[in-house]
Amino acid sequence: MMFSPALKALLCSLLLLCALPALAGRGVDPASNSIQLALTTEPPNLNSLTATDSVSFFVLSHTQEGLLTYNEQGELTGGVAKDWHMDGTAVRFTLRDNARWCDGKPITAQDFVFAWRTALKASTASRYAFILYPILNAQKVHEGKLPLDALGVYAEDAKHLRVELEQATAYFPSLTTFATYYPLREDFYNAHSKNYAADADKLLCNGAFRLTHWIHGASLVLEKNPNYWDAERVKLQRITIPHITNDAGTLLNLFQAGDIAFTELSRDTLPLALEQRLYLQSFNKGMLHYMEFNFRPQRLLHNANLRKAISLVMDRNTLVNKIIASPGTKATAHFFPDWLPGIAPQRAVPEPNIAAAQQALAQAKKELGIVELPPLTLLIYDSPAVVRQAEYLQRVLQESLGITLVIDKQIFKQKLAKLNSGDFDLALSAWGPDYNDPITFADLLHSANANNHGRYQNPRYDALVERAAALPASTERNQLFQQMDTIIQQDTAVLPLSEPGILYVLDKRLHNVRRSRFGDDPDFRHAWIEQGGKH
């Protein structure tokens, strides 16, 4: 019997689903010591060198580990490295004797040398290569001005890694918790070449779990890694992810049915959760939601007055209180969230100024040499909550300025691709802290940062970022961040909108799930199940 290609693919997927060990189980299963979760989207990229999004980082943080990690108090602690010593511009890490890959082979200092050099190769196209720039010669290596072996990282022997820095960088140890700093084993990486991390059998893990099944667009399974150095403290045997959906109603229904152990709530599902008297928990993830502008010369938003006009009509309080309507979310006009160390408390959010906005728009048209502004494209991810925000912004610009905003709604992976290629006028984006220092936000708008999707450039701003990176925590350093925030507002480099608060529900039988502003979040690596408890 002949089958169409589509039918063959469906049959293969069904067979794989039947083969998965826990897909038919419950959200929390004490008998098998396993849990089930849902993701809002397919992980776009599980290659630690090139991943850029929170969904991929969630999976990576459970399957991989860097030199350092964070403990329950949010403090730096040893990961693959059992200890480290920083002396001026040099850092020496000592690796654990029992640190191993999931296939049982030891993790060596050379695995870090190889990973960091590979991340800086132009052919790798890592959008996080900049995070390695504190290392001696890293930027020059990335730009092809020096060979790979000029990078200031050296394997003294199998268990000792020495890193030389461009300048004293007090926060450097925290950088080593980030995915770009994870180790890679050269033989495995080269064996799979461009297909590395494309499937479960092409990803070599060294973290608390290993990825054993991945049916693209459908499900993932993480099994406890018996070769993890701290395996004794990992209680869960399996994390199964049988659902991938961004529909908040579906996610709450799955939680209520006991099919998943955790989910975040939206404006639409919060009333139902309250009505059913679910136990709600809150968390401020420390993120910023903002609008990006495309500064490329061929795009209209390179005009400062047009950006200013759009900024002046923004009613952030209405956006937060009536459109997002999620407790804990607050409006902001500032790029640096005030929870960051050294950042001053935020000032009041400005009210819209329609008259000034219309004057700025008239000036923009004159400068651009046009009578009527053509439609502008707003790039967004296709989640219902983001679509609602986009439609509100669309209405505001039309009613206040007569600007037609075309909403370009894309699946998450495609949205990232269009951002990276510059295929947008405006984009709704989010940024979360990669480590516990204001530089994690400041660096985003540096001209050398590949995640600066709109290609904003200001030499004064770049100089402030570079100066702050070289200073220890101090009043002088804090003032530099204040100056950066002023420049961002003056240039309308981006348009800060809100700092999201998160409400979520968690199965009461599941304990020690860690929430963190930086590092792994949510973190199930040390979670455990209460035997005989209630959902």
Side-chain angles (χ1 to χ4, degrees):
M1 182 181 295
M2 297 295 292
F3 297 105
S4 70
L7 184 56
K8 285 181 180 179
L10 176 61
L11 290 172
C12 289
S13 295
L14 290 172
L15 288 171
L16 283 169
L17 280 167
C18 293
L20 292 179
L23 287 180
R26 306 293 285 170
V28 171
D29 184 5
S32 64
N33 216 0
S34 64
I35 62 172
Q36 291 190 169
L37 303 173
L39 292 179
T40 55
T41 186
E42 163 94 347
N45 182 5
L46 293 185
N47 181 342
S48 59
L49 299 180
T50 52
T52 62
D53 67 282
S54 59
V55 177
S56 299
F57 288 151
F58 169 78
V59 177
L60 285 170
S61 68
H62 286 78
T63 58
Q64 313 291 336
E65 186 172 77
L67 291 163
L68 304 182
T69 185
Y70 292 99
N71 62 19
E72 293 184 48
Q73 290 73 43
E75 301 164 337
L76 281 177
T77 189
V80 173
K82 63 181 179 181
D83 57 51
W84 67 100
H85 177 70
M86 191 168 186
D87 183 12
T89 58
V91 193
R92 191 172 188 260
F93 298 90
T94 301
L95 276 56
R96 300 179 187 275
D97 292 333
N98 60 341
R100 297 185 176 276
W101 295 100
C102 61
D103 63 2
K105 293 184 179 181
I107 301 171
T108 70
Q110 184 59 34
D111 294 332
F112 289 94
V113 175
F114 173 75
W116 301 358
R117 286 179 176 177
T118 305
L120 291 170
K121 282 184 177 180
S123 59
T124 302
S126 172
R127 304 194 73 82
Y128 260 106
F130 71 90
I131 207 168
L132 295 160
Y133 282 7
I135 302 173
L136 182 66
N137 294 329
Q139 184 168 1
K140 292 178 181 177
V141 169
H142 186 223
E143 293 171 349
K145 297 176 181 177
L146 287 175
L148 290 175
D149 59 10
L151 183 67
V153 55
Y154 312 96
E156 295 180 348
D157 55 39
K159 295 300 177 184
H160 292 92
L161 183 75
R162 188 176 86 259
V163 184
E164 295 180 1
L165 305 176
E166 286 280 354
Q167 57 196 4
T169 307
Y171 61 90
F172 178 78
S174 66
L175 297 181
T176 67
T177 67
F178 192 70
T180 314
Y181 280 85
Y182 289 167
L184 281 176
R185 207 173 73 207
E186 186 172 4
D187 64 330
F188 189 92
Y189 182 83
N190 288 340
H192 295 286
S193 187
K194 294 182 180 180
N195 292 319
Y196 173 75
D199 295 290
D201 62 348
K202 297 178 178 63
L203 179 66
L204 187 64
C205 304
N206 77 312
F209 295 87
R210 55 197 177 94
L211 181 64
T212 56
H213 293 274
W214 185 5
I215 302 175
H216 289 278
S219 62
L220 301 90
V221 176
L222 311 181
E223 301 271 359
K224 180 177 176 178
N225 177 9
N227 287 310
Y228 178 52
W229 68 268
D230 200 21
E232 185 176 336
R233 293 181 61 229
V234 179
K235 305 305 179 185
L236 295 178
Q237 293 296 318
R238 184 182 302 116
I239 300 175
T240 304
I241 303 170
H243 306 286
I244 297 178
T245 176
N246 62 20
D247 185 272
T250 299
L251 291 169
L252 182 58
N253 289 338
L254 288 168
F255 178 81
Q256 280 291 77
D259 288 331
I260 57 175
F262 161 92
T263 190
E264 294 180 358
L265 300 172
S266 71
R267 184 187 81 165
D268 296 329
T269 56
L270 176 59
L272 184 59
L274 291 170
E275 179 184 321
Q276 296 175 350
R277 298 184 178 181
L278 298 182
Y279 175 60
L280 308 186
Q281 299 186 58
S282 63
F283 177 64
N284 186 323
K285 203 167 184 176
M287 297 182 72
L288 173 74
H289 284 186
Y290 63 103
M291 183 185 290
E292 295 189 73
F293 299 107
N294 197 332
F295 281 76
R296 290 166 176 80
Q298 68 272 27
R299 297 283 179 169
L300 294 177
L301 270 304
H302 78 270
N303 181 274
N305 274 305
L306 181 54
R307 298 193 306 275
K308 180 180 178 181
I310 291 172
S311 173
L312 286 168
V313 299
M314 282 301 125
D315 189 342
R316 295 171 175 88
N317 288 315
T318 296
L319 175 68
V320 166
N321 297 326
K322 295 186 178 180
I323 306 302
I324 298 174
S326 177
T329 295
K330 65 179 183 180
T332 184
H334 298 274
F335 191 68
F336 295 96
D338 57 10
W339 65 265
L340 286 163
I343 299 300
Q346 305 231 345
R347 299 183 293 276
V349 175
E351 293 295 325
N353 188 333
I354 306 302
Q358 291 172 342
Q359 289 178 2
L361 179 61
Q363 183 63 30
K365 289 179 179 177
K366 184 183 298 185
E367 293 166 353
L368 292 166
I370 57 176
V371 177
E372 293 296 328
L373 200 70
L376 299 175
T377 300
L378 175 65
L379 178 64
I380 66 167
Y381 164 48
D382 67 345
S383 83
V386 177
V387 170
R388 187 163 52 241
Q389 293 174 51
E391 291 174 344
Y392 168 74
L393 297 174
Q394 183 184 51
R395 186 169 66 252
V396 167
L397 291 184
Q398 180 64 53
E399 293 175 355
S400 301
L401 297 173
I403 293 176
T404 299
L405 197 61
V406 178
I407 298 173
D408 183 7
K409 183 173 64 174
Q410 300 288 338
I411 62 171
F412 191 58
K413 186 173 183 178
Q414 187 58 30
K415 188 221 172 185
L416 289 177
K418 297 191 82 167
L419 272 177
N420 292 337
S421 67
D423 188 9
F424 66 97
D425 290 314
L426 309 99
L428 288 181
S429 295
W431 188 258
D434 296 325
Y435 48 92
N436 189 20
D437 191 277
I439 288 289
T440 191
F441 281 88
D443 209 28
L444 179 61
L445 294 179
H446 191 285
S447 59
N449 191 327
N451 293 312
N452 178 0
H453 303 116
R455 293 189 179 173
Y456 166 72
Q457 295 184 30
N458 184 322
R460 287 192 303 127
Y461 183 86
D462 287 355
L464 290 172
V465 175
E466 292 158 12
R467 185 177 167 195
L471 292 175
S474 61
T475 301
E476 179 186 1
R477 190 173 193 256
N478 297 344
Q479 290 171 347
L480 296 180
F481 291 115
Q482 292 290 87
Q483 292 175 43
M484 291 179 217
D485 194 58
T486 299
I487 290 174
I488 292 168
Q489 293 186 53
Q490 290 173 342
D491 289 353
T492 322
V494 294
L495 191 63
L497 296 171
S498 67
E499 295 178 25
I502 294 172
L503 289 174
Y504 64 97
V505 286
L506 178 71
D507 192 298
K508 293 179 181 178
R509 295 169 293 175
L510 190 59
H511 298 268
N512 202 33
V513 175
R514 302 178 188 174
R515 303 304 307 259
S516 175
R517 283 175 171 161
F518 36 86
D520 315 332
D521 181 71
D523 179 3
F524 296 90
R525 293 177 303 163
H526 298 100
W528 55 275
I529 297 172
E530 177 185 351
Q531 299 295 317
K534 294 183 178 180
H535 171 62

